[in-house]
Amino acid sequence: MGGFVNRLLRVAPGEWPKLAQFGLLGFLLQMGLGIGFSAGDAAFLAHAGADRLALIFMMTPAIMLVYTAAFSYLMVRFSIDRVIDATIALLVVGGLLSYAVLGLDLLPHWQLPVYIGLKLYLAMWYIALYTQFWNYTDGYFAIQDGKRLFPLLAAATALGMTCGGLIVSQLAGTVSLRGFFLIWAGIAAVTFPVALGLRRRWTRIADSEVEAAEEGVGRQVRQVADTFRSSRYTLVLTLILFVTLLMTNLAEFQYSAMFEQGRSEAELASLLGTLYAAANIFNVIVCLFVFNRLVGRIGVRNVALIMPLSYFAAFGFLFVTGSFEGALAAFFAYHGVLTSIEYNNQNLLFNAVPAETKRPVRTIVEGLAEPLASFIAGGFLLVFADRTDIRDLSGLGVILGLVLLLVVIMLRQLYPAAMARNMRSMLLDVGKGRGVAPAADTGGADTDALLEHLRSRDPAVRAEAIARLAAGRDLEALPRILDRASWLSPADRHDIETMIIGWGDTAIPRLVSAVPDPTFRYRGRAMAARALAQLSYPLFSSQLDALVRAELERAEPRFVLAEALEAMPEPTRATRLLARLQRQLIGKGTDFVIELLALGGRLPDFDLLIVTLHSKNPKVRGNAIETIENGVDHATFLLLKGLLDERAAGSPAGGARLLAMLEERLASPDPLELVTAAQSIRDLVPAEELGPRLRRALRPDLYLLERADLATLLALPGAGPRTMVDKIDAIAAFPDFAAASIDVQARLAIKLRDAPPEKDVRRVDVDGVTMWLSNAYTLDLAARNVDLALAMYRASDDRAYAA
């Protein structure tokens, strides 16, 4: 059951403690706010009236100007931990003061200012608690974790608002409105140890934006001004937030005017508490189960269309009917769709704002630009509300809805270019080349030792090596780590991926270089792709089409060579192996493309798709191909289908053409492909032509084994008598190794020794020479490579289903 919940909510088992603590913090903060909002709105409408909302809208910017200036200063002067402490303390004090002031026997001329002040107090915390909670939480979660877990935290905050609303709804007849503020103060007091416990247990993740904050508020403002001058996307996004808030204020004014008619203070409290609870139950469901899937299915740009369409529909319904139900529609558009979909989507839309100023832009936009919209809406309502009826205001909402829709459409066009701008700023051409990078200046020797420990047969030694690599954060060694991790077990590879993801954004440039680099093994490239997709999905997505196209284009020359080699009337040991190697590389490349497309959200579960594609059942395999056809564009599907379908046997190639194709393989970054092509050429040309033809293979970056095999093929003095091709052929002669991949057979061939390395060994005949292979190593390799394990199992079990 726990595994099902984890898969449903996309939570790793070890993440629950951290998620629960931050969820509890958000729940308590929003539950207190829900109580205060439900009770405070009822008190304001009962004693001041909905027509006074225009004043509130106009005065909110002044309150938020003070708040934003104070918050920005405190963030520069102190840490956000101290700001959170001060916030909770103010909530306690504010709740107690509200309880005391509302209990006073106020003179008539003091009542209106008190309730206006109460409403402004609530409006400030509505914005402030949202901003502070997410700024605080963002510091403890890496980007890839936030994408999965933030909607769950948003669900926790929505659940808090739900509980707060239900408390007011159920107790409105027995608890005075001032009593609810006392309850709020109590909840805030309970919140303090929760916040304290968070920072003691969890370590804040440092990011580059901290340094920007330390440079002072003035510099932040100048950076933001430069961003607005240079980024059309930022301007349009701000305009969207501005118009959205205009419509939000208009919606609040209209539903408040409808709700207050004919209701007492207690009835208003009960109604608003019920509505807040209902809206936030909707929000919990959307945050938990809908939002991530919605974004994955239609994308961030299309989700942005939901809010303008919702407001357009709500105001249109209110314009046509002028009814209480229309007011309910406006309420739910505001407190439901806006909160659960639009606010979550805005978190993603802000990712396209220039990265170096994203946080200060958001602080200033949310703290100043949005309240400015309240001021304009308030001024308009103050002047025109008495002169227009509800339908006229609803008609204005319909017009604003159309304007907002047009602006969002403009944003959709700007979003890709804005994301690309951010991506280009992150792309660094580092870490390329045959899966190997130079060791770091410090700790390089230690890193090399840890990489050697990854070869250990002892799982505890490998786990310790991974833990120490994670702590060392040697980014320069990342290519070598990926190369070595290709031979680890799936569990160890998962741990390596988790380690790389834990290094955060600093690993992105190396991952960007590794994913398209053919010098890496496919397993290493797949690990890099998964880590990159977690750390920066937009960056991964921007490269996806080019990655897929490049990989698919590599397949056709391999097909042609494999078919030509298979059509040879008298194949040699090397040509047979090279033909088989080409087929396996095509299969690995195809699987890699499918995994990339699955990571990009264009195909469903990768593992299930690969299993069905390799099924011998034509219907099962046909369903898999149908799934692919419906998930990718037509051109990509045609290329993939050409790799997945069986092709007619090729015809023999002319000698010159075949040699030309073999010589092209001498430039391969794959060591085994290079050596096998070189030995195939040796088998097909006269001895005097061999040296000139193999000259292309002699490169300064060759591995030691490649150099040794080329020396053997050229019969250089001191060279060994056998090549890797000869050893692999001997390994493949064993029935329990024959069905394994060539990579695994090569790994076993590397471990062949001239003398028995230990007591439990296997005797291997290589062209009449006896060599020895450790059985313990064979079993360890089988434990880490499923194709070897299956090959050994099938060879030992002759029952039909084992085949």
Side-chain angles (χ1 to χ4, degrees), residues 36 246 289 355 422 473 488 575 602 720:
L246 285 177
F289 306 112
N422 275 356
R473 300 177 68 89
L488 296 178
T575 60
R602 302 185 191 180

Side-chain angles (χ1 to χ4, degrees), residues 4 31 94 164 425 440 445 458 487 569 597 611 624 722 730 756 761:
F4 171 75
M31 182 168 69
S425 69
D458 187 345
W487 291 105
L597 292 169
V611 169
R722 297 170 296 277
V761 293

Side-chain angles (χ1 to χ4, degrees), residues 651-775:
S651 57
R657 180 167 173 262
L658 178 58
L659 285 173
M661 288 190 288
L662 292 173
E663 288 179 5
E664 288 177 359
R665 297 295 96 191
L666 296 178
S668 171
D670 185 307
L672 185 56
E673 187 177 29
L674 184 154
V675 169
T676 310
Q679 188 158 335
S680 297
I681 293 172
R682 186 205 63 179
D683 295 342
L684 299 176
V685 302
E688 62 272 14
E689 294 184 20
L690 183 61
R693 290 188 180 275
L694 294 189
R695 187 175 295 117
R696 185 175 183 180
L698 301 176
R699 305 195 304 262
D701 62 340
L702 291 179
Y703 290 114
L704 184 60
L705 287 174
E706 292 171 290
R707 292 177 182 275
D709 281 358
L710 288 174
T712 298
L713 294 174
L714 292 168
L716 297 180
R722 297 170 296 277
T723 66
M724 277 294 294
V725 173
D726 303 325
K727 295 176 183 178
I728 291 172
D729 188 69
I731 290 290
F734 286 90
D736 51 348
F737 297 154
S741 68
I742 296 177
D743 275 349
V744 168
Q745 293 172 352
R747 201 73 181 173
L748 293 170
I750 290 173
K751 289 296 182 177
L752 288 175
R753 296 292 180 261
D754 293 324
E758 52 195 59
K759 291 183 179 180
D760 185 16
V761 293
R762 180 190 300 242
R763 180 174 177 165
V764 181
D765 182 87
V766 184
D767 290 340
V769 176
T770 298
M771 302 191 76
W772 306 91
L773 178 65
S774 165
N775 283 327

Side-chain angles (χ1 to χ4, degrees), residues 398-443:
V398 171
I399 295 172
L400 286 174
L402 286 174
V403 172
L404 182 59
L405 182 61
L406 292 174
V407 178
V408 169
I409 291 173
M410 185 186 306
L411 185 84
R412 290 180 76 256
Q413 304 305 314
L414 295 173
Y415 180 79
M419 287 301 301
R421 181 266 181 201
N422 275 356
M423 294 167 198
R424 283 194 298 270
S425 69
M426 298 172 67
L427 289 175
L428 299 176
D429 188 19
V430 297
K432 287 189 176 181
R434 297 188 68 95
V436 178
D441 291 338
T442 58

Side-chain angles (χ1 to χ4, degrees), residues 348-596:
L348 302 178
L349 290 172
F350 268 106
N351 285 329
V353 172
E356 61 272 15
T357 56
K358 181 176 71 174
R359 182 173 291 176
V361 163
R362 183 164 191 170
T363 299
I364 291 178
V365 167
E366 291 180 346
L368 294 179
E370 292 185 13
L372 180 61
S374 291
F375 178 82
I376 293 174
F380 173 83
L381 292 171
L382 190 65
V383 174
F384 294 103
D386 293 338
R387 307 177 189 178
T388 57
D389 60 21
I390 191 169
R391 292 198 172 183
D392 291 334
L393 293 176
S394 299
L396 177 61
V398 171
I399 295 172
L400 286 174
L402 286 174
V403 172
L404 182 59
L405 182 61
L406 292 174
V407 178
V408 169
I409 291 173
M410 185 186 306
L411 185 84
R412 290 180 76 256
Q413 304 305 314
L414 295 173
Y415 180 79
M419 287 301 301
R421 181 266 181 201
N422 275 356
M423 294 167 198
R424 283 194 298 270
S425 69
M426 298 172 67
L427 289 175
L428 299 176
D429 188 19
V430 297
K432 287 189 176 181
R434 297 188 68 95
V436 178
D441 291 338
T442 58
D446 183 56
T447 299
D448 291 337
L450 294 176
L451 289 174
E452 288 302 314
H453 289 167
L454 292 179
R455 298 180 185 268
S456 172
R457 300 177 192 172
D458 187 345
V461 173
R462 296 198 302 270
E464 174 66 19
I466 293 171
R468 290 177 61 189
L469 284 170
R473 300 177 68 89
D474 187 354
L475 291 169
E476 296 298 327
L478 183 54
R480 288 180 293 150
I481 292 172
L482 289 170
D483 181 71
R484 190 62 50 83
S486 299
W487 291 105
L488 296 178
S489 67
D492 287 338
R493 293 202 302 273
H494 175 74
D495 290 341
I496 292 287
E497 286 178 30
T498 303
M499 175 194 79
I500 295 170
I501 292 168
W503 288 354
D505 291 356
T506 55
I508 289 176
R510 275 83 178 177
L511 296 174
V512 168
S513 297
V515 175
D517 193 340
T519 65
F520 286 87
R521 292 182 175 88
Y522 278 112
R523 278 184 180 173
R525 294 173 67 189
M527 292 172 64
R530 289 191 292 269
L532 179 61
Q534 290 286 324
L535 285 170
S536 179
Y537 180 81
L539 184 55
F540 169 79
S541 182
S542 73
Q543 293 190 322
L544 180 57
D545 290 331
L547 288 169
V548 168
R549 186 167 53 253
E551 199 58 46
L552 293 177
E553 288 172 353
R554 290 192 185 99
E556 185 58 29
R558 289 171 175 165
F559 259 128
V560 174
L561 178 57
E563 291 169 345
L565 293 170
E566 291 164 350
M568 289 178 60
E570 297 181 4
T572 68
R573 173 184 295 171
T575 60
R576 284 195 303 267
L577 181 63
L578 184 58
R580 191 158 64 97
L581 179 61
Q582 297 305 299
R583 296 287 186 184
Q584 290 190 8
L585 288 173
I586 292 168
K588 289 180 180 180
T590 304
D591 290 353
F592 180 58
V593 166
I594 291 172
E595 182 165 12
L596 290 175

